[in-house]
Amino acid sequence: MVPKDYVLHEHMNFLSIKIFIFILILLNFIHKANTGCNNSTITSFIPPYQILSSLQTLSLDGYLSLKNNDNTAKDFGNIYHFPPLAVLHPKTVSDISQTIKHIYETGSSSVLKVAARGHGHSLQGQSQVHGGLVINMESLEGPEMKVYSGEFPYVDVSGGELWINILHGTLEHGLAPKSWTDYLHLTVGGTLSNAGISGQAFRHGPQINNIFQLQVVTGKGEVVTCSENKNAELFHGVLGGLGQFGIITRATISLEPAPKMVKWIRVLYSKFSLFSKDQEYLISLENTFDYIEGFVIINRNNILNNWSSSFSPKYPIQASQFNSDGRILYCLEMAKYFNPDEAEVMNQSVDQLLSRLSYILPTLFLSEVPYVEFLDRVHVSEKKLRAKGLWEVPHPWLNLLVQKSEIHDFAEEVFGKILNKDTNNGPILIYPVNQTRWNSKTSLVTPEEDVFYLVAFLSSAVPSSTGSNSLEYILTQNQRILDFCKHAKLKVKQYLPHYTTQEEWKTHFGSSWEAFVERKTTYDPLALLAPGHRIFQKSMSTR
């Protein structure tokens, strides 16, 4: 039961919105009259407040919030801040379906856009909608998480469920998803709308490659169940589709037997050529590590001392004598999963793999941790940053997919020249994946070569700073990287892409653009969904 004072405040807030928009319409009408426009030339439209008013007549299990929605006017990127007119807090899929269908049936005259919001970890305002409707996916209830064992185990979950909860829920059955993101406090619908990439992607592909079935609410308000064999066009379109064709309300995710422990290893390289060669070698093997990532270390002193709190050096004396000498270093990070009774065999396998690599011998550091601790490792850093007030700062991240044949030119220019010695704004991830493990039918676009690298510049800006850790400086640096790729004609693709014009989006999708537009026309013809990506600005029927 909603309190009466809450209803009164909502009503008063709604009235203020109506008055404000009425004034805007009146001023617009006066302007058109003064400039000689007659009524026949004015395109009719339904003001957002009228649609919101009619939405309030719907019989919903959840509710619409018209005030105190400041938290939905920001995201993890903390760069763009777009306040919505209202937020839907659905309890059921029917709430989402009814709401979108109602807006859709107002026709192309509607100007109310809709953005689904999970845990709010978008970077460039993609989960926001200025003057529109945000759907809070984390309030979605419905059938509880269901885990099925058998020859092809899977878990059936809500699109608003967090991956960390899925991990704990499936582990109770001795199972776990195959592919992860580095950070688990994200919603299923959010990561599947992009791809979901981590150090397991070289083997299992991204998360979107490990989905059996989806339930989706389209831009028409239709609730559709889809899979490889049923409504396959929508299934493939939604996976990696940036929320353009529908809202993922439920997903069936492939599982595998879960290990209990992880052998976690880090080694350093001073030459990028050896670093990349070893990475590519490891992902080419059938019997290799279960997780392979890497990162670039620029201007980091005492890196081995920092590791020693969580890792143990294989060669303590040599490690204590290691000096980086101000060099750019490259860290190869690997993990081998195992159960306690498999420790001896696991260690033999690890030693054999390491013996074939060309890392700097004194920099071999190892650790054994529980499986959950390894997968949820980033959350530990989050808690430390939150305690220091350094979590909710601008995050001008740049994520690129660079093909193998161009990665050395990229590294020489970007790591050696564009990123100077003062660069110390956050991790720089770099690791290769196998194209053959990725489903080309999905909406995600990647470089065409069989092996390509994810290069992620995960920068954090310091508010009010004017130095190299300022937002402006980092954004300029990101643009320099993009400009280099363009001028050098590198076939780079953005991951978690952000563009400001449709021409840039056409270039991004390349030969897939027409199929992308066709899917939009079919499933969201009024372009109601996910306006924060700025791909489609108007109804497809009038394009």
Side-chain angles (χ1 to χ4, degrees), residues 23-79:
I23 293 172
L24 289 179
I25 295 172
L26 181 61
L27 290 174
N28 185 58
F29 178 81
I30 294 172
H31 170 72
K32 289 182 179 291
N34 290 337
T35 54
C37 295
N38 58 53
N39 290 338
S40 63
T41 64
I42 301 175
T43 302
S44 62
F45 72 96
I46 301 176
Y49 80 83
Q50 285 190 12
I51 302 173
L52 285 177
S53 179
S54 60
L55 284 175
Q56 289 188 313
T57 66
L58 297 178
S59 178
L60 302 176
D61 295 302
Y63 66 96
L64 278 169
S65 172
L66 302 178
K67 68 168 190 175
N68 298 327
N69 296 322
D70 292 345
N71 65 311
T72 62
K74 62 181 181 180
D75 57 16
F76 180 71
N78 207 12
I79 298 173

Side-chain angles (χ1 to χ4, degrees), residues 11 63-64 76 84-85 110 137 151 153 217-218 247 256 260 276 278 281 311 425 466 516 533:
H11 179 68
Y63 66 96
L64 278 169
F76 180 71
L85 278 182
S110 170
M137 296 300 294
E151 184 178 1
V217 177
T218 71
I247 297 173
E256 66 178 359
K260 289 183 169 55
S276 59
D278 281 356
Y281 168 73
F311 295 81
N425 303 311
T466 58
F516 197 82
H533 285 283

Side-chain angles (χ1 to χ4, degrees), residues 73 89 97 133 136 143 178 181 197 211 236 242 258 286-287 310 312 321 389 402 422 461 479 489 492 510 518:
H89 299 270
S97 174
L133 176 70
N136 175 22
K178 301 173 182 177
T181 54
I197 304 175
I211 304 301
H236 294 131
L242 306 176
E286 187 65 30
N287 297 313
S310 304
S312 298
Q321 296 171 347
V402 184
D422 295 325
Q479 190 58 51
K489 297 182 179 179
V492 170
E518 184 61 31

